[in-house]
Amino acid sequence: MAKQPSKKTGRKHPLSFWTGMKLWQQIFIALVAGLAVGMIIGPPAAAIKPIGTMFINAIKMLIVPLIFVSLVCGVTSMHDMHKMGRIALKTVVIYLLTTAVAITIGLGLGTLFQPGAGIDLGAAMAIEPKEAPSLIDTFVGLIPKNPIGAMADGNVLQIIVFALLFGIAINLAGEPGQKIKQFFDWLAEVIYKLTAIVISFAPYGVFALMAWVAGTYGLDVLLPLGTVILAVYAGCVIHAIVVYGGAITFIAKLNPIRYFQGIAEAQAVAFTTTSSSGTLPVTMGCVQKNLGVSRGVSSFVLPLGATINMDGTALYQGVCALFVAQAYGIDLVFGDYVTIILTSTLASIGTAGVPGAGLIMLSLVLTSVGLPLEGVALIAGIDRILDMARTALNVTGDGAVSVLVAKSEGELDETIFNKAHVLEPEKIPAE
Ligand code: ASP
């Protein structure tokens, strides 16, 4: 008969209930606990915000190397230039279409909920409108005159262009190109490992950020603008379930529950950090490891999505534009709605995936239909709360589009998708 383990060796590590949990469970508990702590202790909860800031900085640290290296690997893993062009076209078209649907849902909910009814904006302060760059300037600005400068500035679109050209050059450079390709493949492994290490700290960052938000805003600030918050949150949930859930079910013919399970960690990190660019490393890990999207497709679709695909932001702009119109008693006509849809779609492309960027772009949308910019000031008070939902929707959209594109290109590993395996935290040894 086998010897029973001694009491000593059989004893569990005191923290094993925590370290044995899946990462998404830890993040969820941290989110709820942070909310509770913030509500109970109020503004002093801001004291633990630096822990959250350290976590955000750590994921920001990964953005530039991750985009560059994974995009180069994505291009070099696709020798077929036609296929690459096709993927690019599909990605951009789906991004634009879903964004236009998002803003339409936002306008619909703004009409239904009437968030601005009975709110007096007279006392709000003036806000400077943001100038939209001209189309030609936008195109010229895509080419970095100094790639290192683009990386130092974190100019994601310029980094994408440089990485694409660099990858194409590797493919065309024959034998030396193959050596560089191998080097980048190894480098990518190291950067993915670094990403996993940073992500394992997510629960602590999420806890601190949640406690800070709940402690700073509290219920008193949130209640008067509750309808705007309700409309934006309802819109984000509807868009995620109907548009992405529907596309995953009916177009990709996959189980939508599996999709939402697989992307949950990225949603939680987006929700608390309010930065889709910052969440990119986590989104990348989720779609590759949990959902089975190939590296080639995900390393192309996701960095692009984190920069140009902002369905949550577009939806929020629809709700807020109606909020301001209603608060000022201004009637919008059909043409105004079309203008809002067009400008919001374009504005969401130009919105950086960083906290609060959508609020700045809101001034552009309001200007396009002559709505008073003072409305932005009131929204600013609750913008962090709205930013949490819209950023979570932004990354949900990036992930869903990567699954759709991968499925249509035969680049989806359905065995991984159907398991919806969830990333494990780095386990701490029990003794
Ligand atoms: N925070 C959003 C994001 O990073 C952008 C926005 O402010 O709407 O996706």
Side-chain angles (χ1 to χ4, degrees), residues 273-278 306 309-310 312-314 316-317 351-359 383 387 390-392 394-395:
T273 61
T274 67
S275 167
S276 44
S277 292
N309 183 45
M310 303 268 168
T313 306
Y316 143 93
Q317 284 167 345
T351 309
V354 296
L359 182 74
D383 195 59
D387 205 357
R390 65 183 192 250
T391 309
N394 289 346
V395 305

Side-chain angles (χ1 to χ4, degrees), residues 217-253:
Y217 291 96
L219 282 183
D220 301 347
V221 183
L222 303 185
L223 281 183
L225 288 164
T227 330
V228 182
I229 299 176
L230 195 70
V232 170
Y233 273 67
C236 288
V237 172
I238 293 172
H239 190 77
I241 295 177
V242 176
V243 178
Y244 303 138
I248 298 276
T249 314
F250 299 110
I251 301 177
K253 305 254 185 300

Side-chain angles (χ1 to χ4, degrees), residues 366-386:
L366 296 184
T367 316
S368 71
V369 282
L371 285 171
L373 288 174
E374 284 76 7
V376 177
L378 199 55
I379 299 289
I382 50 159
D383 195 59
R384 174 83 194 188
I385 312 283
L386 303 177

Side-chain angles (χ1 to χ4, degrees), residues 10-264:
R11 205 176 57 220
K12 285 190 166 171
H13 187 282
L15 288 178
S16 62
F17 79 95
W18 176 251
T19 54
M21 262 180 213
K22 296 206 178 348
L23 184 59
W24 67 265
Q25 292 168 329
Q26 291 180 335
I27 293 179
F28 183 72
I29 291 173
L31 205 137
V32 176
L35 189 73
V37 168
M39 287 287 178
I40 293 166
I41 63 176
I48 57 167
K49 190 187 168 200
I51 300 176
T53 311
M54 275 160 63
F55 172 64
I56 296 183
N57 287 350
I59 45 181
K60 280 191 185 156
M61 159 186 97
L62 297 166
I63 299 173
V64 170
L66 188 79
I67 296 183
F68 183 64
V69 173
S70 61
L71 208 51
V72 169
C73 291
V75 176
T76 54
S77 69
M78 273 189 268
H79 296 286
D80 183 348
M81 293 285 168
H82 286 297
K83 181 168 173 178
M84 232 173 70
R86 204 172 54 229
I87 291 182
L89 188 70
K90 266 187 212 170
T91 306
V92 173
V93 169
I94 307 179
Y95 277 159
L96 292 182
L97 281 181
T98 51
T99 303
V101 174
I103 161 114
T104 311
I105 293 179
L107 290 173
L109 289 173
T111 311
L112 192 72
F113 281 75
Q114 297 283 319
I119 291 187
D120 178 16
L121 288 179
M125 58 178 182
I127 292 275
E128 281 290 305
K130 181 170 163 88
E131 292 254 340
S134 76
L135 201 60
I136 187 76
D137 285 348
T138 310
F139 275 111
V140 171
L142 285 178
I143 312 290
K145 51 178 182 272
N146 175 355
I148 307 292
M151 289 183 193
D153 295 343
N155 185 329
V156 176
L157 282 179
Q158 290 190 345
I159 301 173
I160 290 177
V161 170
F162 182 64
L164 288 177
L165 295 174
F166 196 78
I168 292 171
I170 290 177
N171 282 346
L172 298 175
E175 177 64 22
Q178 285 314 300
K179 295 216 166 85
I180 297 286
K181 173 181 179 334
Q182 177 68 74
F183 169 76
F184 269 89
D185 286 342
W186 285 334
L187 193 57
E189 289 302 328
V190 175
I191 289 185
Y192 290 140
K193 190 71 212 166
L194 184 59
T195 306
I197 295 172
V198 170
I199 294 171
S200 67
F201 289 98
Y204 313 102
V206 163
F207 173 80
L209 292 170
M210 245 2 250
W212 162 63
V213 170
T216 309
Y217 291 96
L219 282 183
D220 301 347
V221 183
L222 303 185
L223 281 183
L225 288 164
T227 330
V228 182
I229 299 176
L230 195 70
V232 170
Y233 273 67
C236 288
V237 172
I238 293 172
H239 190 77
I241 295 177
V242 176
V243 178
Y244 303 138
I248 298 276
T249 314
F250 299 110
I251 301 177
K253 305 254 185 300
L254 294 164
N255 182 344
I257 312 265
R258 295 272 185 246
Y259 171 70
F260 288 112
Q261 279 175 341
I263 199 73

